[in-house]
């Protein structure tokens, strides 16, 4: 799949986002308020530094399950054009621990890569520079894979290991499209955080819709290619 096809998929996904504009705003508000509710409590109570770290840990604890539940609703919106509060509650229960595990693995992996980069980049030797370059490529690959872990989770209801392996395989098989998607999501993230308001209203759900929609096309394309080879 080339850049032009990737561009068409992204434009189609953005068009779908516009068609469900109001619903995506509501879902984004739900994600934002539930995921970061402990930090809001800390802001109102103005507790000690110790409590601040407790509330950060609580937000990180909620982030994975809430992300999975909202991603599931976005996927249902793409597939059926209908969602309900009951589906959110069911998805929260179904994906709670796996969503928590995926966020935990993601954070630990990024911290490990950052630590390795800090160690290798401080050396001027040629070998360390090569290792630093490999670490940067590893970081890029992990970001590419991370785009598809929650879509794989909510669409196929897989275990954590299977989600990560399938996401990695999808990236390897569709590297160009994955890169284009990462660039578009990065641009949307940059604009959203600069303007602030889009983060609260649309950022997460629009990116979720892009990831779910494009993953469906990539999986269908891969399956079609596999059938052609049989």
């Amino acid at each position: 799949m080339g850049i032009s096809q990737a561009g068409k998929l992204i434009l189609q996904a953005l068009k779908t986002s516009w068609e469900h504009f109001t619903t995506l705003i509501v879902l984004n508000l739900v994600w934002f308020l539930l995921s970061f509710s402990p930090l809001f409590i800390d802001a109102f109570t103005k507790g000690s530094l110790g409590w601040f770290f407790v509330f950060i840990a609580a937000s990180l604890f909620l982030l994975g399950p809430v992300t999975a539940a909202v991603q599931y609703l976005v996927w249902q919106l793409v597939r059926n054009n209908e969602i309900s509060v009951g589906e959110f509650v069911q998805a929260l229960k179904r994906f709670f621990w796996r969503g928590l595990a995926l966020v935990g693995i993601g954070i630990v992996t990024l911290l490990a890569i950052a630590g390795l980069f800090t160690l290798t980049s401080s050396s001027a030797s040629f070998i360390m520079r090569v290792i630093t370059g490999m670490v940067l490529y590893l970081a890029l690959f992990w970001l590419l894979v991370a785009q598809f872990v929650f879509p794989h989770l909510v669409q196929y209801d897989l275990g954590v290991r299977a989600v990560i392996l399938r996401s990695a395989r999808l990236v390897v098989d569709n590297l160009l499209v994955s890169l284009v998607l990462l660039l578009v999501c990065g641009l949307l993230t940059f604009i959203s955080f600069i303007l602030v308001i889009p983060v609260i209203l649309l950022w997460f759900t629009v990116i979720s819709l892009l990831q779910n929609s494009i993953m469906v096309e990539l999986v269908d394309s891969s399956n079609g290619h596999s059938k052609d080879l049989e």
Side-chain angles (χ1 to χ4, degrees):
M1 186 178 293
I3 293 179
S4 61
Q5 291 174 300
K8 290 179 182 178
L9 290 178
I10 289 172
L11 288 175
Q12 181 59 44
L14 290 174
K15 181 182 178 183
T16 304
S17 299
W18 178 254
E19 293 172 354
H20 299 290
F21 186 77
T22 303
T23 306
L24 290 178
I25 288 178
V26 173
L27 290 178
N28 204 86
L29 287 171
V30 169
W31 173 79
F32 187 81
L33 293 174
L34 289 182
S35 296
F36 302 105
S37 55
L39 294 180
F40 299 144
I41 295 173
D42 178 67
F44 283 116
T45 57
K46 297 180 180 180
S48 64
L49 183 62
W51 277 109
F52 173 70
F53 287 114
V54 169
F55 285 126
I56 286 181
S59 285
L60 291 176
F61 183 81
L62 291 172
L63 182 61
V66 174
T67 294
V70 174
Q71 280 257 13
Y72 178 78
L73 291 187
V74 171
W75 163 235
Q76 292 302 310
L77 196 64
V78 171
R79 188 173 67 169
N80 301 322
N81 294 321
E82 293 182 0
I83 57 174
S84 66
V85 175
E87 286 180 314
F88 175 79
V89 175
Q90 291 175 2
L92 191 64
K93 293 177 180 178
R94 185 192 309 170
F95 302 120
F96 191 95
W97 295 111
R98 284 173 289 173
L100 178 63
L102 286 173
V103 167
I105 291 170
I107 292 173
V108 170
T109 301
L110 289 176
L111 288 176
I113 291 173
L116 188 58
F117 176 78
T118 302
L119 289 174
T120 58
S121 61
S122 60
S123 175
S125 70
F126 175 76
I127 294 178
M128 283 302 180
R129 288 182 178 179
V130 172
I131 295 176
T132 299
M134 294 173 63
V135 171
L136 290 175
Y137 278 113
L138 179 62
L140 175 61
F141 181 73
W142 179 249
L143 290 176
L144 293 172
V145 171
Q147 297 180 111
F148 300 113
V149 291
F150 277 101
H152 264 109
L153 175 65
V154 301
Q155 290 186 30
Y156 296 102
D157 200 6
L158 301 170
V160 172
R161 181 174 179 272
V163 162
I164 295 174
L165 290 177
R166 286 201 182 191
S167 298
R169 181 178 178 181
L170 190 68
V171 168
V172 171
D173 291 341
N174 302 275
L175 187 58
L176 182 59
V177 179
S178 300
L179 281 169
V180 173
L181 177 59
L182 183 64
L183 288 173
V184 171
C185 291
L187 179 61
L188 290 175
T189 299
F190 176 77
I191 294 173
S192 297
F193 277 84
I194 289 296
L195 299 178
V196 180
I197 297 299
V199 175
I200 301 173
L201 296 181
L202 278 170
W203 171 68
F204 173 73
T205 47
V206 169
I207 287 179
S208 297
L209 193 145
L210 282 170
Q211 292 170 346
N212 279 278
S213 299
I214 289 176
M215 196 187 84
V216 169
E217 296 295 333
L218 294 181
V219 171
D220 288 345
S221 177
S222 298
N223 290 339
H225 180 65
S226 298
K227 291 178 180 178
D228 291 341
L229 293 176
E230 293 176 354

